[in-house]
Amino acid sequence: MRTPHLNDALLVALKQYQELTGKPFPVIPSLDLHDDSGFWALAELDRDRFVIRVGGGVVPALTSLWTKAFGDDDFLTGVSFPFDADKADAIHVSLVWLIFHEMQHFELGHFCFMGCSFLSETEHGKRFALLSRSVTKPSPIDGLGEVTKAMVPLCLELQADHEAAELVLDAYSADEWPSLRARVAAIAAMMMLIEREDSKLATPHTSHPKAATRIFQLLGHVVEMPIILAHRKAIIRGMDVGAPIELPSQDEQNAFNREVSIPAFFDALNLARISGADSIKHDLGEAEIFFQDVKIAKLEDVSGYTKLQTVGANQWAELAELNSNVLSKLEFRNRQELSS
């Protein structure tokens, strides 16, 4: 049995990034394991270094949650996770996703876009950034109204969530369903712990989306994974737009939903219950309504968003159009930097 460590998670993340993208990460992050006992993490530009700082309470919080989860009869019912008995694998995957999330803030250009030197996963973590580097700089969002400007950080978090999830979940494989479900649960667990920490604030969710919103986006991606792979294969083969794409059979897609997508939703509900986050459980809603909302979201018809019912889906819809605009501004900013 091995003990999960953040250093291990960073090494695995860097290796997996190179394997999946075919190139090394642009810069090797420095990892600062802080002796503060709080649950927090932040990504920071410290002169010419990219630093990921993590509070000493992160691993203990994960250990506590996963120990309770694997000792809970309702959680274990029907679970076939390929995790070892001491839960070290579950904790490790949660940590790898956290590291990837911080790395994506760097790769996606979020620091330059926001005109800041650090981005924190919890409010508590902000006090551990280097104060000399916390001065804001001119940013593309400076001209936005105050309400819209305040929503931009939520969009950036969803962007980092999505890219980190793709790196952890990897491409769809019919042979990896139990492992995929396990990795989805590991990501959801970290999202819940972040919200649980933020809920201690007088005004929570000011810089991060709700956990239910993040899980809504996560499971929306999972539902589409068999189709995404087929479309990517078509692109690689140079097929014309509109040409027939070889999708997995309907039977396979239905089985995937029965064995992965839907159970992953109930894994999230159980983790919310076990972590004492009743608000997240409430925000996720009922399975039938949740997946109906996923279906509406995937149609990408803004007029249909008024039919969304769950809390997470509605916040996702609120951010969707703004996020599209933010992505366009980011891509333009990144092109300018590359050409300069």
Side-chain angles (χ1 to χ4, degrees):
M1 296 188 296
R2 61 181 173 80
T3 302
H5 289 289
L6 278 155
N7 281 314
D8 293 339
L10 176 59
L11 292 175
V12 168
L14 290 171
K15 180 180 178 182
Q16 189 161 329
Y17 179 92
Q18 182 155 3
E19 289 176 351
L20 296 178
T21 66
K23 58 184 180 182
F25 194 69
V27 61
I28 303 298
S30 299
L31 188 60
D32 176 19
L33 308 180
H34 209 281
D35 57 7
D36 175 76
S37 61
F39 183 95
W40 58 270
L42 64 87
E44 184 171 19
L45 295 180
D46 177 11
R47 297 180 178 85
D48 59 346
R49 295 192 308 152
F50 170 48
V51 185
I52 298 174
R53 308 189 193 279
V54 182
V58 171
V59 172
L62 279 169
T63 302
S64 175
L65 174 56
W66 280 113
T67 299
K68 290 177 182 177
F70 279 87
D72 185 277
D73 290 340
D74 289 338
F75 180 75
L76 290 176
T77 301
V79 170
S80 56
F81 289 174
F83 287 153
D84 60 23
D86 70 351
K87 319 309 174 298
D89 284 350
I91 301 165
H92 174 71
V93 176
S94 295
L95 293 174
V96 170
W97 178 82
L98 177 64
I99 295 295
F100 269 137
H101 178 96
E102 306 302 343
M103 289 167 58
Q104 285 307 304
H105 278 313
F106 179 90
E107 184 172 33
L108 293 171
H110 289 170
F111 298 101
C112 292
F113 188 75
M114 290 295 293
C116 65
S117 61
F118 71 87
L119 295 163
S120 177
E121 294 313 309
T122 65
E123 189 70 23
H124 179 71
K126 292 181 179 180
R127 71 183 67 178
F128 298 102
L130 296 181
L131 296 180
S132 62
R133 300 292 295 166
S134 63
V135 179
T136 56
K137 302 174 183 178
S139 160
I141 70 170
D142 288 342
L144 299 177
E146 289 304 312
V147 174
T148 302
K149 188 175 179 179
M151 293 171 63
V152 171
L154 281 67
C155 294
L156 301 187
E157 292 302 324
L158 288 180
Q159 291 173 19
D161 279 359
H162 181 268
E163 298 303 310
E166 282 206 320
L167 289 163
V168 170
L169 301 181
D170 203 352
Y172 170 80
S173 170
D175 299 325
E176 295 289 333
W177 289 0
S179 175
L180 175 60
R181 179 181 164 191
R183 282 173 276 152
V184 173
I187 295 171
M190 183 61 80
M191 292 174 172
M192 290 180 187
L193 289 176
I194 291 171
E195 170 151 328
R196 193 176 71 177
E197 182 66 24
D198 271 351
S199 68
K200 300 173 184 177
L201 302 174
T203 55
H205 311 302
T206 55
S207 61
H208 286 72
K210 286 177 171 286
T213 305
R214 305 172 88 164
I215 293 169
F216 180 79
Q217 176 181 258
L218 172 65
L219 291 184
H221 172 72
V222 171
V223 167
E224 286 202 317
M225 284 184 71
I227 300 173
I228 291 171
L229 179 62
H231 280 273
R232 286 179 177 172
K233 285 182 177 179
I235 292 172
I236 292 171
R237 293 170 185 163
M239 294 175 62
D240 295 333
V241 176
I245 297 175
E246 186 178 343
L247 299 173
S249 69
Q250 193 60 53
D251 286 344
E252 181 176 333
Q253 292 185 54
N254 291 339
F256 176 76
N257 286 329
R258 286 195 307 271
E259 296 184 33
V260 180
S261 302
I262 295 172
F265 172 81
F266 287 104
D267 292 338
L269 277 184
N270 274 314
L271 285 170
R273 172 181 57 80
I274 293 164
S275 66
D278 292 337
S279 61
I280 299 176
K281 186 178 177 182
H282 173 268
D283 289 349
L284 287 170
E286 300 293 330
E288 183 177 355
I289 297 174
F290 180 92
F291 285 104
Q292 183 178 332
D293 281 354
V294 169
K295 185 176 181 180
I296 292 171
K298 293 306 173 186
L299 293 174
E300 297 183 350
D301 180 2
V302 176
S303 64
Y305 291 172
T306 57
K307 299 177 183 178
L308 296 171
Q309 299 181 62
T310 60
V311 172
N314 274 289
Q315 188 183 39
W316 174 88
E318 182 183 12
L319 296 171
E321 185 174 0
L322 175 60
N323 192 48
S324 178
N325 293 334
V326 169
L327 281 170
S328 297
K329 289 179 180 292
L330 264 174
E331 290 170 358
F332 177 73
R333 175 67 175 262
N334 290 340
R335 284 198 301 269
Q336 282 187 317
E337 291 182 350
L338 287 172
S339 61
S340 62

Short mmCIF file of all heavy atoms in Angstrom, two decimals, residues 3 7 27 61 73 83 85 87 98-99 104 109 123 126-127 135 169 173 207 215 244 256 263 273 282 285 293:
data_model
loop_
_atom_site.label_atom_id
_atom_site.label_comp_id
_atom_site.label_asym_id
_atom_site.label_seq_id
_atom_site.Cartn_x
_atom_site.Cartn_y
_atom_site.Cartn_z
N THR A 3 1.28 5.58 0.17
CA THR A 3 0.67 6.80 0.69
C THR A 3 0.59 7.83 -0.43
O THR A 3 1.58 8.07 -1.12
CB THR A 3 1.52 7.36 1.85
OG1 THR A 3 1.61 6.36 2.85
CG2 THR A 3 0.87 8.60 2.43
N ASN A 7 3.51 15.35 -4.62
CA ASN A 7 4.64 15.23 -5.55
C ASN A 7 4.39 14.14 -6.58
O ASN A 7 4.69 14.30 -7.76
CB ASN A 7 5.93 14.96 -4.78
CG ASN A 7 6.50 16.22 -4.16
OD1 ASN A 7 6.60 17.25 -4.82
ND2 ASN A 7 6.88 16.15 -2.90
N VAL A 27 6.02 24.60 -19.02
CA VAL A 27 6.96 24.92 -17.94
C VAL A 27 6.75 23.89 -16.83
O VAL A 27 5.63 23.45 -16.60
CB VAL A 27 6.72 26.35 -17.40
CG1 VAL A 27 5.32 26.50 -16.84
CG2 VAL A 27 7.76 26.72 -16.34
N ALA A 61 -8.21 15.98 4.19
CA ALA A 61 -9.64 16.10 3.87
C ALA A 61 -10.05 15.03 2.87
O ALA A 61 -11.12 14.40 3.00
CB ALA A 61 -9.95 17.49 3.33
N ASP A 73 -22.11 1.66 3.17
CA ASP A 73 -22.77 0.58 2.43
C ASP A 73 -23.51 1.09 1.21
O ASP A 73 -23.48 0.47 0.14
CB ASP A 73 -23.74 -0.17 3.34
CG ASP A 73 -23.02 -1.00 4.40
OD1 ASP A 73 -21.83 -1.29 4.20
OD2 ASP A 73 -23.65 -1.33 5.42
N PHE A 83 -10.07 0.59 -7.34
CA PHE A 83 -9.23 1.23 -6.35
C PHE A 83 -8.80 0.20 -5.32
O PHE A 83 -9.56 -0.71 -4.98
CB PHE A 83 -10.00 2.34 -5.62
CG PHE A 83 -10.23 3.58 -6.45
CD1 PHE A 83 -11.30 4.39 -6.18
CD2 PHE A 83 -9.37 3.93 -7.48
CE1 PHE A 83 -11.53 5.55 -6.93
CE2 PHE A 83 -9.57 5.07 -8.21
CZ PHE A 83 -10.66 5.88 -7.95
N ALA A 85 -7.66 -1.25 -1.50
CA ALA A 85 -8.43 -1.24 -0.27
C ALA A 85 -8.18 -0.03 0.61
O ALA A 85 -9.04 0.36 1.39
CB ALA A 85 -8.16 -2.52 0.52
N LYS A 87 -7.73 3.02 -0.33
CA LYS A 87 -8.27 4.21 -0.97
C LYS A 87 -7.19 5.16 -1.49
O LYS A 87 -7.49 6.29 -1.88
CB LYS A 87 -9.21 4.99 -0.04
CG LYS A 87 -10.14 4.15 0.80
CD LYS A 87 -10.91 3.13 -0.02
CE LYS A 87 -11.71 2.23 0.91
NZ LYS A 87 -10.90 1.45 1.84
N LEU A 98 -6.61 17.94 -9.39
CA LEU A 98 -6.34 19.26 -8.81
C LEU A 98 -5.09 19.88 -9.45
O LEU A 98 -5.09 21.06 -9.82
CB LEU A 98 -6.15 19.16 -7.30
CG LEU A 98 -5.78 20.46 -6.58
CD1 LEU A 98 -6.89 21.49 -6.69
CD2 LEU A 98 -5.44 20.19 -5.11
N ILE A 99 -4.03 19.09 -9.59
CA ILE A 99 -2.80 19.58 -10.21
C ILE A 99 -3.06 19.98 -11.66
O ILE A 99 -2.62 21.06 -12.12
CB ILE A 99 -1.69 18.51 -10.14
CG1 ILE A 99 -1.28 18.24 -8.69
CG2 ILE A 99 -0.48 18.94 -10.97
CD1 ILE A 99 -0.63 19.41 -7.99
N GLN A 104 -3.81 24.05 -15.93
CA GLN A 104 -4.60 24.59 -17.02
C GLN A 104 -4.83 26.09 -16.88
O GLN A 104 -4.98 26.79 -17.87
CB GLN A 104 -5.93 23.84 -17.13
CG GLN A 104 -5.80 22.46 -17.74
CD GLN A 104 -5.08 22.49 -19.07
OE1 GLN A 104 -5.48 23.20 -20.01
NE2 GLN A 104 -3.98 21.75 -19.18
N GLY A 109 -3.81 30.65 -20.27
CA GLY A 109 -3.52 32.08 -20.26
C GLY A 109 -4.38 32.89 -19.31
O GLY A 109 -4.58 34.10 -19.51
N GLU A 123 -11.08 30.90 -0.96
CA GLU A 123 -10.78 32.25 -0.47
C GLU A 123 -9.65 32.23 0.55
O GLU A 123 -8.80 33.11 0.59
CB GLU A 123 -12.04 32.84 0.15
CG GLU A 123 -11.94 34.31 0.50
CD GLU A 123 -11.90 35.22 -0.73
OE1 GLU A 123 -12.37 34.77 -1.80
OE2 GLU A 123 -11.37 36.34 -0.63
N LYS A 126 -5.92 32.64 -0.62
CA LYS A 126 -5.39 33.90 -1.16
C LYS A 126 -4.34 34.53 -0.25
O LYS A 126 -3.45 35.23 -0.71
CB LYS A 126 -6.53 34.88 -1.41
CG LYS A 126 -7.46 34.46 -2.54
CD LYS A 126 -8.56 35.47 -2.76
CE LYS A 126 -9.46 35.04 -3.93
NZ LYS A 126 -10.56 36.02 -4.16
N ARG A 127 -4.46 34.29 1.04
CA ARG A 127 -3.51 34.91 1.98
C ARG A 127 -2.11 34.34 1.84
O ARG A 127 -1.15 34.91 2.38
CB ARG A 127 -4.01 34.73 3.41
CG ARG A 127 -3.92 33.31 3.94
CD ARG A 127 -4.50 33.18 5.33
NE ARG A 127 -5.94 33.40 5.31
CZ ARG A 127 -6.71 33.31 6.40
NH1 ARG A 127 -6.15 33.06 7.57
NH2 ARG A 127 -8.00 33.48 6.33
N VAL A 135 -0.41 42.41 -7.32
CA VAL A 135 -0.89 43.64 -7.94
C VAL A 135 -1.47 43.33 -9.31
O VAL A 135 -0.87 42.62 -10.12
CB VAL A 135 0.27 44.66 -8.09
CG1 VAL A 135 -0.24 45.92 -8.76
CG2 VAL A 135 0.85 44.97 -6.71
N LEU A 169 -9.63 11.89 -17.54
CA LEU A 169 -10.53 10.85 -18.05
C LEU A 169 -9.98 10.17 -19.30
O LEU A 169 -10.32 9.02 -19.57
CB LEU A 169 -11.91 11.45 -18.34
CG LEU A 169 -12.62 12.09 -17.15
CD1 LEU A 169 -13.98 12.63 -17.57
CD2 LEU A 169 -12.76 11.12 -16.00
N SER A 173 -12.98 4.49 -24.02
CA SER A 173 -12.65 3.11 -24.35
C SER A 173 -13.70 2.20 -23.72
O SER A 173 -14.01 2.32 -22.53
CB SER A 173 -11.26 2.73 -23.82
OG SER A 173 -11.05 1.33 -23.93
N SER A 207 -16.13 33.45 -6.49
CA SER A 207 -15.08 33.29 -7.48
C SER A 207 -15.06 31.90 -8.11
O SER A 207 -14.23 31.63 -8.96
CB SER A 207 -13.70 33.57 -6.85
OG SER A 207 -13.45 32.66 -5.79
N ILE A 215 -20.11 19.74 -11.60
CA ILE A 215 -20.44 18.33 -11.83
C ILE A 215 -21.38 18.20 -13.02
O ILE A 215 -21.29 17.23 -13.79
CB ILE A 215 -21.04 17.71 -10.55
CG1 ILE A 215 -19.96 17.66 -9.46
CG2 ILE A 215 -21.59 16.31 -10.82
CD1 ILE A 215 -20.48 17.32 -8.08
N PRO A 244 -20.80 10.91 -43.03
CA PRO A 244 -21.22 9.96 -42.00
C PRO A 244 -20.07 9.61 -41.07
O PRO A 244 -18.95 9.38 -41.51
CB PRO A 244 -21.67 8.74 -42.81
CG PRO A 244 -21.99 9.26 -44.16
CD PRO A 244 -21.04 10.40 -44.39
N PHE A 256 -23.43 2.18 -21.88
CA PHE A 256 -22.49 3.12 -21.27
C PHE A 256 -23.22 4.03 -20.28
O PHE A 256 -22.73 4.27 -19.16
CB PHE A 256 -21.81 3.95 -22.36
CG PHE A 256 -20.89 5.02 -21.83
CD1 PHE A 256 -19.64 4.70 -21.33
CD2 PHE A 256 -21.27 6.36 -21.84
CE1 PHE A 256 -18.78 5.68 -20.85
CE2 PHE A 256 -20.42 7.35 -21.35
CZ PHE A 256 -19.18 7.00 -20.86
N PRO A 263 -24.74 5.82 -13.02
CA PRO A 263 -24.11 5.51 -11.72
C PRO A 263 -23.19 6.63 -11.23
O PRO A 263 -23.09 6.87 -10.03
CB PRO A 263 -23.32 4.24 -12.01
CG PRO A 263 -24.05 3.59 -13.12
CD PRO A 263 -24.53 4.73 -13.98
N ARG A 273 -23.64 13.41 0.22
CA ARG A 273 -24.22 13.00 1.51
C ARG A 273 -23.13 12.67 2.52
O ARG A 273 -23.17 13.13 3.67
CB ARG A 273 -25.13 11.78 1.30
CG ARG A 273 -25.64 11.15 2.59
CD ARG A 273 -26.50 9.94 2.30
NE ARG A 273 -25.81 8.93 1.51
CZ ARG A 273 -24.96 8.05 2.02
NH1 ARG A 273 -24.65 8.08 3.31
NH2 ARG A 273 -24.38 7.15 1.24
N HIS A 282 -28.86 18.69 -2.85
CA HIS A 282 -30.09 19.38 -3.27
C HIS A 282 -29.91 20.00 -4.65
O HIS A 282 -30.80 19.92 -5.51
CB HIS A 282 -30.46 20.45 -2.25
CG HIS A 282 -31.61 21.32 -2.67
ND1 HIS A 282 -31.43 22.50 -3.34
CD2 HIS A 282 -32.95 21.15 -2.53
CE1 HIS A 282 -32.60 23.04 -3.60
NE2 HIS A 282 -33.55 22.26 -3.11
N GLY A 285 -30.16 17.60 -7.66
CA GLY A 285 -31.53 17.24 -7.99
C GLY A 285 -31.73 15.76 -8.23
O GLY A 285 -30.90 14.92 -7.87
N ASP A 293 -31.87 17.84 -18.15
CA ASP A 293 -31.16 19.11 -18.30
C ASP A 293 -29.90 18.97 -19.15
O ASP A 293 -29.57 19.84 -19.96
CB ASP A 293 -30.79 19.66 -16.92
CG ASP A 293 -31.96 20.32 -16.21
OD1 ASP A 293 -33.04 20.45 -16.83
OD2 ASP A 293 -31.79 20.71 -15.04
#
